[in-house]
């Protein structure tokens, strides 16, 4: 289908454009017209009107009707251009809108007679034909007055650069369409200007699987009483939710998405499950974490931030060495090994150097001392593994014992073992372990000579491993290859070793003695990546040694050991704490954030070595003098740090360690988030806030008493102790909550008991505070109590006195104007239809006010035109009698 576009003059309006399209449809043409001189034809412009010239078959079908649909008359809608659009520029030269299309040759083959006929067609300039002006003259006038050549060229270039755009079809009329029911967003078929332009793929729009329906059209309408399906009957009340102490309330049975279950969740049976956050027993975790947190609290002052919220600010004294002192020297647990490694890698080192020593020398000496400390830690960490292997070779190969001692860098013991077994020359070589390059080259040549001369077949495997280690070779040592019986197998020096000893061999034998820790780490990491099946990966101890099934599923790939992550933090400056503090690196429980949080506090908040990646400014390393000078320095905010503290506090809450959980939450950096987290914790644990617990929270942790009283008030309401909750709210300074509780719960009961003194005392302390709804709720009760007590007193005083007091008369007059207003407001104050006390109190208050008002001024209510509702018939009848009696007496007096 061929498409032509004619530029509409600026002087024509929308109505004339529509006439142009209609006239052209009534007089269809069969060949492309030759456009007048200097007339711009622009394809794809917003001002153009596309006129379709259909094929012979399509045109024959449309000859019977020339009417156009309403949608076809929209002049502002543009259609994508075809590849064979002809464009006539201002120089009266015809250009092809595409690259070498077939339509160009077809148009050039038309006769001159057809072209001249097309020149007189009414569709070219319909406005000129309508007013009777020559079309060519009209076009020249339009071009000279309203269109300059520069503007035409710019518009044509802009239109050429325009890519085809996606459009919504006219059939899409729904506000929220659904792909699933067939009327979603569909894209029109795209056309490209040439083969040089690619068609862009449609944007990805995910289908909406769920649609909101009205309750009348819902399948659950009328089934709200289906108690068999509690989720259907009660909705959000039976959704899965978290309770205090890690309690998960749910229907059915917890399972994985791929699990096969034999029970149904369509039940009204609710299950409370305690989600295990610790791999071991709670008692063991309680003892372990109490020791760490008590030490942490002793080094952390509690201060108030700019908002007046308590905040825990750890001091620089809280380092790895301080935690190491908590463990005895005989303790070889993973926890103490972690803190000892941190001490070796990150704690400050006293170099005992003179002040005039340069920075380069200091850094060099510090790197050497740091590597020595890491080597000492590594020898101690693998000592028990070396001893276990020695027991296996106690009565076996002596060379295997020497090799085992070398894997633990026990050089002295290895020399003694070699001499005791008659390997004197070997002992001299072992004493030179980690020697210079010449020593290693000599041993490498010796191993090569053995292989070339086929002597290695007569040397034991353990002895060959010893020589390979001394030569600094950790790759597979090839044996001599022959077809005879002297064929020697290959030897792997690190076969069967754990990752710690493998890393140690890289540091002690493979790399030079003066190589930094980062180079050693890179050497081990590279060999691990190149030979994953030969080099042991840095797996945590529970995966490396455990033979029992784990309580939690370990993801793939397996997490790295926390010890390896600490070494990586020191060696790789690009490593963030997010990569190193994964809970699965410390233990089998993915919800145990205890050690992760303690390491974060030391590395980030105390030593300022590394931080989470989402912190804007991690700050600089703190010195001892910073505590006095820069306590309030801006450090940015890290959401990951707050999430880590909240997760650890949730664990402590499950262990009933409330004080410790509050202490951890005091490390949250945002003031508003810290306040909310602590208040929520106190609300969940309000039943445990006894005197001993509150003394620690208020004393050591400096939590405001108002927070504790608020939590106690919430729990008192839960237990039905409303008056106690009211007093706790007042003590906490929460006058709004106390006011609402008094209006809804306490005041109606006081009205029913006719205890006006109690009613006044409930609102006396709130009267001078800023409370929402005070004048329309709480003050109404006080006005009622004052009216009920003061009106009878004033009436009696004025009746007994011979000379009425003007002040008392004015006060009584004010009451007579106030009481009708109170009667009108009371139904809105006591508006709870579910509480019968409100109905009784409302009737009592209106009846009492009407009774006292009838004594003083019976016509006050009738004059105010207030409808009396919620009163008993006796009160209403008495009021009517009093009112008519007063009118009768006044009529007598008037007569």
């Amino acid at each position: 289908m061929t498409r032509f576009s004619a530029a509409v003059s600026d002087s024509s309006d929308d109505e004339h454009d529509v006439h142009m399209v209609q006239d052209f449809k009534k007089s269809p043409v069969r060949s492309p017209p030759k456009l007048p001189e200097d007339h711009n034809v622009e394809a794809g412009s917003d001002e153009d009107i596309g006129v379709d010239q259909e094929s012979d078959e399509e045109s024959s079908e449309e000859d019977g009707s020339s009417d156009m649909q309403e949608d076809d008359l929209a002049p502002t809608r543009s259609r994508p251009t075809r590849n064979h659009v002809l464009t006539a520029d201002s120089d009266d030269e015809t250009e092809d809108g595409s690259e070498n299309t077939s339509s160009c040759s077809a148009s050039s083959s038309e006769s001159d007679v057809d072209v001249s006929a097309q020149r007189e067609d009414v569709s070219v300039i319909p406005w000129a034909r309508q007013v009777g002006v020559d079309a060519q003259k009209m076009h020249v006038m339009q071009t000279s007055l309203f269109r300059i050549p520069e503007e035409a060229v710019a518009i044509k270039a802009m239109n050429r650069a325009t890519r085809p755009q996606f459009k919504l079809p006219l059939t899409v009329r729904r506000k929220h369409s659904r792909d699933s029911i067939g009327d979603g967003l569909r894209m029109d078929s795209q056309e490209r200007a040439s083969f040089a332009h690619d068609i862009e793929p449609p944007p990805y729009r995910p289908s909406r699987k769920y649609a909101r329906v009205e309750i009348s059209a819902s399948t659950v309408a009328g089934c709200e009483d289906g108690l068999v399906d509690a989720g259907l009957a009660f909705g959000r009340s039976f959704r899965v939710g978290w309770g205090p102490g890690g309690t998960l309330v749910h229907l059915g049975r917890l399972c994985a998405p791929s699990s096969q279950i034999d029970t149904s969740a369509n039940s009204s049976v609710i299950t409370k499950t305690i989600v295990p956050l610790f791999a071991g027993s709670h008692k063991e975790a309680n003892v372990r974490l109490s020791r760490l947190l008590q030490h942490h609290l002793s080094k952390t002052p509690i201060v108030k931030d700019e908002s007046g919220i308590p905040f825990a600010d750890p001091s620089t004294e809280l380092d790895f060495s301080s935690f190491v002192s908590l463990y005895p020297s005989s303790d070889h647990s993973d926890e103490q090994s972690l803190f000892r490694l941190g001490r070796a890698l990150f704690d400050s080192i006293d170099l005992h150097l003179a002040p005039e020593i340069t920075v380069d020398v200091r850094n060099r000496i510090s790197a050497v001392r740091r590597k020595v400390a890491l080597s000492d830690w590594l020898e101690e960490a693998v000592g028990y593994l070396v001893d276990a292997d020695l027991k296996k070779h106690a009565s076996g190969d002596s060379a295997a014992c020497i090799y085992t001692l070398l894997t633990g860098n026990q050089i002295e013991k290895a020399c003694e073992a070699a001499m005791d077994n008659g390997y004197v020359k070997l002992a001299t070589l072992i004493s030179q372990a980690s020697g210079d390059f010449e020593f290693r080259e000599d041993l490498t040549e010796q191993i090569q000579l053995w292989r070339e001369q086929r002597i290695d077949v007569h040397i034991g495997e353990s002895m060959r491993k010893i020589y390979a280690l001394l030569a600094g070779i950790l790759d597979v040592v090839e044996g001599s290859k022959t077809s005879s019986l002297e064929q020697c197998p290959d030897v792997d020096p690190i076969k069967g070793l754990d990752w710690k000893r493998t890393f140690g061999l890289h540091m002690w034998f493979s790399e030079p003695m003066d190589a930094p820790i980062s180079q050693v780490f890179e050497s081990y990491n590279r060999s691990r990546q190149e030979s994953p099946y030969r080099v042991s990966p840095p797996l945590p101890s529970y995966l490396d040694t455990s033979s029992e099934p784990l309580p939690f599923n370990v993801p793939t790939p397996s997490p790295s050991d926390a010890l390896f992550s600490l070494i990586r933090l020191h060696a790789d400056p690009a490593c963030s704490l997010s990569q190193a503090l994964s809970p699965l690196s410390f233990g089998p429980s993915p919800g145990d954030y205890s050690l992760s949080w303690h390491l974060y506090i030391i590395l980030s908040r105390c030593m300022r070595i590394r931080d989470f990646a989402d912190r804007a400014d991690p700050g600089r390393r703190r010195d001892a003098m910073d505590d006095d000078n820069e306590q309030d320095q801006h450090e940015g905010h890290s959401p990951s740090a707050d999430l880590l503290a909240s997760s650890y506090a949730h664990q402590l809450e499950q262990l009933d360690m409330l004080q410790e959980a509050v202490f951890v939450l005091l490390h949250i950096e945002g003031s508003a988030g810290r306040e909310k987290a602590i208040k929520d914790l106190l609300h969940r644990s309000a039943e445990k806030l006894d005197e001993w617990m509150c003394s620690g929270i208020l004393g050591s942790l400096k939590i405001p008493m108002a927070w504790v009283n608020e939590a106690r008030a919430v729990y008192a309401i839960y237990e039905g102790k409303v008056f106690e909750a009211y007093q706790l709210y007042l003590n906490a300074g929460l006058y709004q909550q106390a006011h609402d509780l008094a209006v809804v719960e306490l005041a109606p009961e006081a009205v029913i008991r006719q205890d006006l003194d109690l009613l006044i005392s409930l609102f006396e302390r709130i009267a001078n505070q800023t409370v929402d709804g005070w004048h329309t709720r709480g003050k109404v009760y006080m006005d009622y109590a004052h009216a009920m007590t003061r009106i009878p007193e004033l009436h009696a005083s004025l009746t007994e006195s011979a000379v009425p007091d003007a002040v008392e008369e004015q006060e009584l007059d004010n009451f007579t104007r106030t009481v009708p207003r109170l009667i009108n407001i009371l139904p809105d104050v006591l508006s709870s239809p579910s509480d019968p006390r409100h109905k009784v109190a409302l009737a009592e208050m209106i009846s009492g006010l009407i009774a006292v008002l009838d004594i003083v001024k019976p016509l006050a209510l009738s004059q105010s035109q207030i409808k009396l509702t919620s009163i008993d018939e006796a009160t209403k009848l008495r009021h009517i009698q009093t009112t008519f009696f007063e009118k009768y007496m006044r009529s007598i007096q008037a007569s």
Side-chain angles (χ1 to χ4, degrees):
M1 178 175 60
T2 310
R3 184 183 303 278
F4 296 91
S5 298
V8 180
S9 172
D10 294 341
S11 61
S12 62
D13 53 11
D14 295 341
E15 180 181 358
H16 302 143
D17 294 342
V18 175
H19 289 317
M20 179 191 71
V21 178
Q22 292 177 344
D23 294 340
F24 186 77
K25 292 294 289 186
K26 292 179 181 180
S27 302
V29 295
R30 297 296 182 180
S31 60
K34 181 172 180 62
L35 301 179
E37 212 176 81
D38 296 332
H39 184 73
N40 294 325
V41 181
E42 300 167 357
S45 175
D46 294 338
E47 299 178 358
D48 297 345
I49 300 178
V51 182
D52 294 343
Q53 181 181 4
E54 306 293 334
S55 61
D56 293 340
E57 181 181 355
E58 295 174 348
S59 62
S60 63
E61 296 176 358
E62 297 177 359
D63 287 341
S65 174
S66 61
D67 296 336
M68 300 184 64
Q69 299 296 330
E70 182 182 355
D71 295 339
D72 297 332
L73 298 179
T76 59
R77 293 181 61 86
S78 62
R79 299 282 302 272
T81 59
R82 297 282 184 176
N83 291 341
H84 47 274
V85 174
L86 296 179
T87 304
D89 57 9
S90 59
D91 297 333
D92 199 18
E93 295 179 358
T94 303
E95 296 182 358
D96 194 350
S98 61
E99 298 180 18
N100 300 327
T101 61
S102 61
S103 61
C104 178
S105 61
S107 61
S108 63
S109 63
E110 300 291 340
S111 63
D112 296 337
V113 178
D114 294 337
V115 174
S116 61
Q118 284 300 111
R119 189 186 303 272
E120 298 297 331
D121 189 48
V122 295
S123 64
V124 179
I125 305 180
W127 173 248
R129 184 62 177 268
Q130 182 177 354
V131 299
V133 182
D134 182 63
Q136 182 66 23
K137 183 177 180 180
M138 187 68 177
H139 179 70
V140 172
M141 294 173 62
Q142 290 178 353
T143 305
S144 60
L145 295 177
F146 303 103
R147 185 70 61 87
I148 61 176
E150 293 80 5
E151 182 183 359
V153 173
I155 294 178
K156 182 173 67 175
M158 179 182 65
N159 292 334
R160 285 181 177 178
T162 302
R163 300 290 300 274
Q165 301 293 330
F166 295 126
K167 300 186 301 179
L168 288 176
L170 298 177
T171 57
V172 178
R173 302 185 184 275
R174 294 184 58 179
K175 182 178 180 181
H176 301 291
S177 59
R178 305 286 189 271
D179 289 343
S180 59
I181 61 177
D183 65 22
L185 296 181
R186 297 183 181 88
M187 304 304 173
D188 287 343
S189 59
Q190 300 183 66
E191 301 171 0
R192 51 186 176 184
S194 67
F195 289 102
H197 295 83
D198 294 333
I199 298 179
E200 297 181 355
Y204 173 72
R205 298 179 63 86
S207 61
R208 296 177 59 183
K209 298 182 180 180
Y210 304 100
R212 181 172 185 149
V213 297
E214 298 295 335
I215 186 62
S216 59
S218 175
T219 57
V220 302
C223 302
E224 288 79 5
D225 56 347
L227 300 181
V228 176
D229 190 349
L232 176 62
F234 297 98
R236 288 180 56 84
S237 300
F238 277 75
R239 73 191 189 279
V240 178
W242 289 98
T247 303
L248 184 63
V249 182
H250 60 91
L251 299 172
R253 184 170 62 89
L254 297 179
C255 60
S258 59
S259 301
Q260 298 293 333
I261 58 175
D262 52 0
T263 60
S264 175
N266 296 330
S267 173
S268 59
V269 178
I270 303 175
T271 305
K272 294 173 62 177
T273 304
I274 302 296
V275 179
L277 300 179
F278 296 93
S281 64
H282 283 193
K283 182 178 180 181
E284 179 185 355
N286 196 321
V287 175
R288 177 173 60 87
L289 298 182
S290 295
R291 175 173 55 182
L292 295 177
L293 290 169
Q294 287 295 334
H295 174 72
H296 193 152
L297 178 60
S298 64
K299 304 289 184 180
T300 304
I302 307 297
V303 297
K304 289 188 176 182
D305 59 6
E306 298 176 354
S307 302
I309 308 300
F311 174 66
D313 187 19
S315 65
T316 55
E317 298 179 0
L318 191 67
D319 53 8
F320 287 99
S321 298
S322 63
F323 280 95
V324 171
S325 61
L326 300 177
Y327 302 92
S329 58
S330 59
D331 190 351
H332 298 286
S333 62
D334 294 338
E335 192 172 297
Q336 65 82 27
S337 182
L338 186 68
F339 288 113
R340 289 177 181 175
L341 175 61
R343 178 181 62 178
L345 292 176
F346 301 106
D347 279 4
S348 59
I349 300 176
D350 190 2
L351 302 178
H352 301 286
L353 297 177
E356 60 271 10
I357 301 299
T358 60
V359 177
D360 295 339
V361 176
R362 288 179 179 272
N363 294 337
R364 179 59 181 165
I365 296 176
S366 177
V368 173
R369 292 280 301 274
R370 192 75 69 185
K371 186 178 180 181
V372 172
L374 177 60
S375 178
D376 294 341
W377 169 85
L378 197 55
E379 291 179 12
E380 183 179 359
V382 302
Y384 74 97
L385 297 174
V386 173
D387 295 340
D389 289 347
L390 287 176
K391 292 179 181 179
K392 298 178 182 179
H393 305 292
S395 59
D397 189 5
S398 59
C401 296
I402 299 174
Y403 166 76
T404 303
L405 292 172
L406 289 178
T407 59
N409 200 33
Q410 300 181 15
I411 304 298
E412 185 176 353
K413 292 183 179 181
C415 290
E416 293 177 356
M419 295 179 65
D420 293 342
N421 290 276
Y423 300 112
V424 179
K425 295 182 179 179
L426 180 61
T428 59
L429 295 177
I430 293 175
S431 63
Q432 304 177 59
S434 302
D436 52 14
F437 284 101
E438 295 182 0
F439 173 75
R440 298 185 180 184
E441 289 293 335
D442 293 341
L443 290 180
T444 303
E445 294 177 0
Q446 181 64 56
I447 295 174
Q448 181 68 18
L449 183 62
W450 286 347
R451 188 176 66 85
E452 293 175 355
Q453 297 181 359
R454 302 175 185 175
I455 302 176
D456 51 1
V457 71
H458 303 290
I459 303 176
E461 180 180 352
S462 299
M463 188 63 68
R464 293 171 62 193
K465 288 183 178 180
I466 294 174
Y467 273 86
L469 290 182
L470 296 178
I473 301 175
L474 299 183
D475 296 331
V476 177
V477 179
E478 298 182 357
S480 56
K481 306 298 182 182
T482 61
S483 59
S484 61
L485 298 177
E486 296 182 352
Q487 183 175 1
C488 181
D490 298 340
V491 172
D492 189 358
I494 61 176
K495 181 180 180 181
L497 298 180
D498 61 291
W499 79 267
K500 297 186 189 71
R501 284 192 284 180
T502 304
F503 180 83
L505 294 181
H506 280 270
M507 181 171 59
W508 297 321
F509 300 102
S510 178
E511 296 300 320
M513 183 181 298
D514 56 349
I517 298 177
S518 59
Q519 182 176 337
V520 176
F521 173 81
E522 180 62 28
S523 175
Y524 167 76
N525 203 33
R526 182 173 59 253
S527 63
R528 180 173 65 90
Q529 296 175 357
E530 294 175 354
S531 305
Y533 299 101
R534 193 176 65 89
V535 181
S536 298
L539 297 177
S541 58
Y542 66 89
L543 291 179
D544 199 12
T545 60
S546 176
S547 58
E548 300 180 357
L550 298 175
F552 302 93
N553 295 328
V554 179
T556 303
S558 301
S560 301
D561 193 350
L563 301 173
F564 177 80
S565 300
L566 273 186
I567 298 175
R568 181 185 177 187
L569 273 177
H570 181 273
D572 186 7
C575 179
S576 67
L577 287 181
S578 305
Q579 302 170 340
L581 299 184
S582 172
L584 291 175
S585 298
F586 301 89
S589 174
D592 188 358
Y593 292 89
S594 54
L595 290 177
S596 301
W597 183 80
H598 284 287
L599 289 185
Y600 162 76
I601 292 298
I602 297 174
L603 293 172
S604 175
R605 313 316 305 142
C606 297
M607 306 182 71
R608 307 299 171 95
I609 293 175
R610 204 67 55 85
D611 211 324
F612 288 119
D614 57 358
R615 185 183 297 279
D617 181 15
R620 61 182 181 84
R621 184 180 179 118
R622 288 174 57 177
D623 299 327
M625 298 178 62
D626 291 341
D627 292 339
D628 300 330
N629 299 331
E630 300 182 5
Q631 289 183 355
D632 298 330
Q633 61 179 355
H634 177 72
E635 301 170 355
H637 178 257
S638 173
S640 299
D642 293 348
L643 181 61
L644 182 60
S646 300
S647 301
Y648 187 25
H650 185 67
Q651 290 182 256
L652 297 172
E653 182 184 357
Q654 190 178 81
L655 295 176
D656 293 334
M657 302 174 64
L658 182 58
Q659 294 184 12
E660 291 80 359
V662 173
F663 171 67
V664 172
L665 291 178
L666 285 173
H667 292 77
I668 293 180
E669 298 169 4
S671 299
R674 188 186 324 125
E675 179 182 1
K676 184 180 185 304
I678 295 176
K679 284 185 176 181
D680 291 345
L681 174 62
L682 294 176
H683 288 179
R684 293 193 301 267
S685 308
E687 59 180 343
K688 304 172 185 176
L689 295 176
D690 52 13
E691 184 178 355
W692 177 84
M693 185 68 68
C694 291
S695 62
I697 293 177
L698 300 175
S700 302
L701 304 180
K702 301 181 181 180
I703 299 299
M705 186 65 187
W707 297 5
V708 178
N709 287 333
E710 181 182 0
R712 283 178 163 181
V714 173
Y715 185 68
I717 294 175
Y718 170 75
E719 289 190 325
K721 303 176 181 178
V722 181
F723 187 75
E724 181 181 349
Y726 164 80
Q727 291 179 325
L728 289 171
Y729 275 134
L730 289 180
N731 295 334
L734 301 174
Y735 299 103
Q736 182 67 53
Q737 289 83 342
H739 167 265
D740 297 341
L741 194 62
V743 168
V744 177
E745 299 289 342
L746 300 177
E749 199 164 323
V751 171
I752 296 173
R753 295 180 180 180
Q754 297 182 357
D755 192 346
L756 300 181
D757 294 335
L758 174 61
L759 190 62
I760 294 175
S761 64
L762 288 176
F763 297 98
E764 277 183 340
R765 294 179 58 181
I766 308 176
N768 298 326
Q769 307 297 330
T770 303
V771 176
D772 294 338
W774 164 251
H775 294 282
T776 58
R777 301 182 68 193
K779 190 174 183 298
V780 173
Y781 282 106
M782 292 194 68
D783 293 344
Y784 163 76
H786 291 150
M788 294 297 295
T789 56
R790 189 61 179 160
I791 290 178
E793 293 177 358
L794 292 175
H795 178 69
S797 176
L798 292 175
T799 304
E800 294 174 357
S801 61
V803 180
D805 188 358
V807 177
E808 291 182 350
E809 286 185 344
Q810 181 64 33
E811 184 180 358
L812 183 60
D813 185 62
N814 292 337
F815 272 117
T816 57
R817 289 195 300 267
T818 303
V819 169
R821 183 180 61 85
L822 291 178
I823 296 176
N824 191 30
I825 295 176
L826 282 176
D828 297 330
V829 178
L830 297 164
S831 59
S832 177
S834 59
D835 193 347
R837 297 177 301 175
H838 282 212
K839 297 180 181 179
V840 177
L842 179 60
E844 178 70 23
M845 295 176 73
I846 294 179
S847 301
L849 290 175
I850 292 176
V852 297
L853 191 60
D854 288 344
I855 298 174
V856 179
K857 192 176 182 181
L859 300 179
L861 287 178
S862 60
Q863 293 174 358
S864 60
Q865 298 181 354
I866 296 176
K867 294 182 180 181
L868 298 178
T869 58
S870 302
I871 60 173
D872 58 291
E873 296 296 331
T875 304
K876 185 180 297 185
L877 181 59
R878 185 174 61 251
H879 171 66
I880 294 174
Q881 292 175 349
T882 306
T883 302
F884 278 98
F885 180 77
E886 180 67 19
K887 291 182 178 179
Y888 175 72
M889 294 300 296
R890 288 191 177 186
S891 63
I892 292 177
Q893 293 177 1
S895 61

